[in-house]
Amino acid sequence: MAPQVVRIAIVFLVVICLFLGVRSQAVPKGFGEDGFHRIQAPQMIASRAMSHAGRKACAECHEDKFKVTPHVQKGVGCETCHGPALAHAQNFETIKPKVPSTRADCTRCHARLVGRPDWFPQIDPNQHNPGKRCMECHEIHPSE
Amino acid sequence: MEENEKLITRSDLLKTIGQSVILIGVGAGGYAAWSNVTSKIAKKTTKRTATGYPASPWYAMAIDIEKCIGCGSCVQACSVENDVPEGHFRTWIERYVIKEDGSVDISSPDGGIHGFPEVSDENVTRAFFVPKLCNHCDDSPCTQVCPVGATFETSDGVVMVDYDWCVGCRYCIQACPYGSRFWNEKKRTADKCTLCYHRIKKGQVPACVEVCPTGARIFGDISDKESPVAKFVRENATNVMKPHLKTGAKVQYKGLSKEVV
């Protein structure tokens, strides 16, 4: 065989070995075992901690708040108004979720607004009993 | 003899055969190594479950535009749940205001996290809110351009970023036709919606779905006929955004107007 062919073969061999060598170092553990990514990545993201508990978690201690009201009936979750409360559910003595109290806490949903669909109950905050707290008249959680 | 000089000797022949075998061996070895590398990573299943999806579970979301009231609860919940840096959004709301003269005002102040300002309803023909998020495309441009395989679709249909492997080239942010990705300067990686993978894998719904007061966001395993999202998509006329791009977007919208971009 011609010597240049042998030389080319050697060059190819060296390049292939070099490629495989570099690759074995550059490719992380678990890569390519389930597609073009590290197999452990989804698991790492799935193991992150949550901050919203979900409404089912609240029922355990606040059964009384699940009485039928327009909000409960239409499926407005507890954390929609009270904010993320997983920390509270796990540690209810020291951590308290926020309790809405201002008119703005209600008007962010109920103020009449361009874009808000007609089926949704809306009020004009400047006309609807201005200056008074909404909860003076609207019982969010009926006491009995 | 003149004829004889052209003939090769037996030893020459054996030598050539031997060298050829070595060359072919090297070539075949190289090819085998290469295809070993590529066969695993280029895995794209063509199998389908009984309901027509690549795997089960196969997570998806649907959005009912007629139910969105633009309150911003989803954007707030997402930001807290996912520690999203201020000024960036994994999900956001846009308001479309279509005027009588045909003009369209599109706005999304702070992603709608504090709701939307009052505007005059004069000359308004139609107005609505559109919640947006990553469409978790099955054939996504973002996963295709990532040079290191740090963004990918999981075997249950969620497109995510491997934060420990992302090199921060930001090519995926450019590639996304929906503007769903952003540069997270805290993590120093690209970032985006994970469908709250850390919640759905614990049997919870994504935070935006949990807090949506009107049920405008529907989530579930679409490969399961009984899941809320499969039911919703079956019972309503829905479409994805920019279907002509054929990205395999998974977020199905009900009431999608042509103005929505």
Side-chain angles (χ1 to χ4, degrees):
Chain A
M1 192 182 295
Q4 62 266 40
V5 174
V6 174
R7 264 183 251 132
I8 286 216
I10 291 169
V11 168
F12 265 73
L13 199 67
V14 168
V15 168
I16 289 171
C17 288
L18 216 61
F19 167 76
L20 290 176
V22 170
R23 187 182 180 279
S24 72
Q25 291 307 303
V27 172
K29 223 170 103 244
F31 198 96
E33 281 169 35
D34 181 38
F36 194 67
H37 63 90
R38 298 194 310 153
I39 194 169
Q40 64 270 40
Q43 190 45 50
M44 285 165 67
I45 289 172
S47 65
R48 276 196 44 227
M50 302 192 292
S51 51
H52 290 77
R55 59 200 78 180
K56 284 191 212 92
C58 317
E60 189 191 320
C61 307
H62 296 292
E63 182 99 62
D64 60 317
K65 297 291 184 286
F66 284 78
K67 275 183 225 148
V68 177
T69 64
H71 293 120
V72 170
Q73 195 187 3
K74 295 292 161 95
V76 184
C78 313
E79 287 163 308
T80 307
C81 292
H82 291 292
L86 179 62
H88 160 73
Q90 289 169 342
N91 205 341
F92 58 86
E93 272 156 0
T94 48
I95 300 168
K96 294 277 194 276
K98 74 167 197 259
V99 177
S101 57
T102 64
R103 286 173 68 90
D105 287 332
C106 307
T107 53
R108 72 185 181 95
C109 286
H110 286 293
R112 191 166 304 283
L113 190 66
V114 170
R116 218 153 253 178
D118 291 335
W119 64 266
F120 186 77
Q122 297 162 57
I123 48 115
D124 179 349
N126 301 320
Q127 304 281 320
H128 191 79
N129 308 301
K132 289 198 181 141
R133 286 179 71 236
C134 314
M135 276 67 86
E136 280 177 33
C137 307
H138 296 289
E139 252 191 332
I140 300 298
H141 299 299
S143 31
E144 210 30 77
Chain B
M1 263 200 307
E2 294 223 344
E3 286 282 291
N4 256 352
E5 275 168 26
K6 280 189 182 169
L7 284 174
I8 49 172
T9 63
R10 184 187 296 156
S11 65
D12 273 349
L13 180 69
L14 286 176
K15 223 162 119 189
T16 309
I17 290 175
Q19 284 170 340
S20 304
V21 165
I22 290 173
L23 264 183
I24 292 168
V26 168
Y31 180 74
W34 178 250
S35 56
N36 177 35
V37 169
T38 52
S39 71
K40 278 193 204 158
I41 58 187
K43 194 174 87 180
K44 185 82 190 167
T45 179
T46 50
K47 278 191 314 227
R48 288 290 180 267
T49 62
T51 45
Y53 295 94
S56 187
W58 193 249
Y59 297 111
M61 196 183 283
I63 289 176
D64 191 342
I65 290 176
E66 288 135 45
K67 283 202 179 153
C68 180
I69 61 169
C71 65
S73 299
C74 51
V75 187
Q76 285 166 28
C78 174
S79 292
V80 176
E81 182 72 47
N82 296 298
D83 196 17
V84 180
E86 216 182 308
H88 295 299
F89 306 98
R90 287 185 177 201
T91 187
W92 68 100
I93 310 170
E94 292 171 0
R95 175 161 65 180
Y96 288 72
V97 180
I98 296 152
K99 300 279 180 60
E100 275 159 19
D101 62 6
S103 64
V104 185
D105 280 355
I106 309 171
S107 63
S108 184
D110 285 334
I113 195 164
H114 307 299
F116 287 78
E118 257 184 88
V119 293
S120 158
D121 59 1
E122 238 174 90
N123 303 329
V124 173
T125 302
R126 208 151 57 89
F128 51 88
F129 296 104
V130 182
K132 288 191 173 175
L133 70 157
C134 168
N135 283 283
H136 295 275
C137 305
D138 191 28
D139 209 356
S140 180
C142 64
T143 59
Q144 288 169 31
V145 300
C146 181
V148 296
T151 190
F152 58 95
E153 185 187 35
T154 62
S155 52
D156 38 22
V158 180
V159 176
M160 55 171 65
V161 179
D162 181 347
Y163 302 111
D164 296 330
W165 195 239
C166 173
V167 294
C169 75
R170 312 178 203 198
Y171 198 177
C172 57
I173 302 177
Q174 299 288 318
C176 177
Y178 302 102
S180 300
R181 290 172 166 262
F182 59 91
W183 175 249
N184 186 325
E185 50 278 275
K186 257 197 279 182
K187 286 185 181 136
R188 301 210 56 79
T189 65
D191 207 351
K192 66 181 284 298
C193 162
T194 60
L195 277 182
C196 280
Y197 203 66
H198 62 299
R199 296 178 59 82
I200 63 181
K201 283 288 149 190
K202 299 182 184 101
Q204 297 278 353
V205 295
C208 58
V209 177
E210 171 61 37
V211 302
C212 178
T214 59
R217 291 174 181 257
I218 302 108
F219 171 81
D221 165 16
I222 198 165
S223 74
D224 170 4
K225 288 202 303 262
E226 299 308 314
S227 71
V229 69
K231 265 195 157 121
F232 183 83
V233 170
R234 187 163 67 240
E235 288 166 3
N236 294 284
T238 60
N239 202 354
V240 297
M241 280 202 294
K242 303 186 184 179
H244 58 286
L245 296 181
K246 290 191 164 45
T247 56
K250 292 193 197 82
V251 179
Q252 296 279 344
Y253 286 86
K254 177 188 178 195
L256 195 60
S257 286
K258 75 173 195 326
E259 288 83 4
V260 178
V261 286

